[in-house]
Amino acid sequence: MGGKTSTDLFAELGLVAALLLIYVLVLIMGYDSFAGWMLNGEPKEWLSAPWSIVSYAFVHTLWRHIAVNVGLVLMLILTGTLSAKEFYGLFFGGVIVGGITFLWLGDGVLVGASAGIAALISVALVRSLKRPHFIYLFFVFVLMFESVMRNKLYDITFGVHLAGYVVGLLYLFSCWRQDRKIRTTNDVVEKANVSGYSSLSREERQALRQQHDDIEK
């Protein structure tokens, strides 16, 4: 699984354990016992339980919903494309942005980890393909996946999923931008070593100064 460490693996499997544990507790204790965990679209209800912008992701009421989500998380872990830090950062980022999207677009009650998983799918799929232009295939996958899920599950909200995908894509773009900046700076350093500092253009000298300032910070 690439460069994934055993620590990363066990940390990521912790999410699977949490999703399954809470699903079992919902079955034992009843749906109503976790009402405070669910994200309610009514402003008054949500403001009385602000933690639900995150906790809703851990509540699943349909066995097909939990089965699909846990299966997807396990497949994403097996790709080995995400560190544990990225894994949880993307997951909770997708969950929060998905929840905000739900509050803006919808009503009723939102449950399930799909928004967070969508953010993970964005990054894992594009990295697995190893080509930025394969992002077009990613969009094809999203359309196919969402079409299937809409037919299989009752409470899927496309806008919430889309918010998760966008979180993942924005993270990818930030990574690509950073990598390009590093490559450009390395090229400038190599030019300076070979031809001397005086051979650098004004923009190249500014890039070196910026790198120095970043290091100092």
Side-chain angles (χ1 to χ4, degrees), residues 10-73:
F10 284 113
E12 293 167 11
L13 287 173
L15 177 61
V16 175
L19 293 174
L20 291 173
L21 174 62
I22 293 174
Y23 177 66
V24 171
L25 291 175
V26 169
L27 292 179
I28 295 173
M29 300 172 63
Y31 185 85
D32 292 339
S33 298
F34 288 83
W37 287 49
M38 303 172 200
L39 185 59
N40 196 304
E42 291 294 328
K44 180 180 178 181
E45 296 294 331
W46 176 74
L47 289 172
S48 67
W51 58 83
S52 61
I53 197 72
V54 172
S55 62
Y56 80 88
F58 293 89
V59 180
H60 296 77
T61 56
L62 298 172
W63 71 266
R64 286 180 294 179
H65 198 183
I66 186 68
V68 169
N69 281 351
V70 166
L72 285 172
V73 171

Side-chain angles (χ1 to χ4, degrees), residues 176-209:
W176 291 337
R177 183 178 180 182
Q178 184 65 25
D179 289 344
R180 185 170 61 180
K181 181 179 178 181
I182 292 172
R183 286 196 299 270
T184 300
T185 304
N186 289 342
D187 290 342
V188 172
V189 171
E190 184 177 354
K191 180 179 177 180
N193 289 336
V194 173
S195 304
Y197 185 78
S198 61
S199 67
L200 301 181
S201 67
R202 180 180 177 181
E203 291 76 14
E204 289 171 335
R205 293 179 185 183
Q206 186 176 0
L208 282 181
R209 285 194 295 270

Side-chain angles (χ1 to χ4, degrees), residues 132-152:
H133 64 263
F134 272 112
I135 199 169
Y136 299 112
L137 291 180
F138 164 76
F139 283 114
V140 173
F141 166 82
V142 168
L143 292 175
M144 293 176 61
F145 178 75
E146 291 297 332
S147 295
V148 172
M149 289 300 98
R150 277 184 161 185
N151 291 330
K152 296 294 184 183

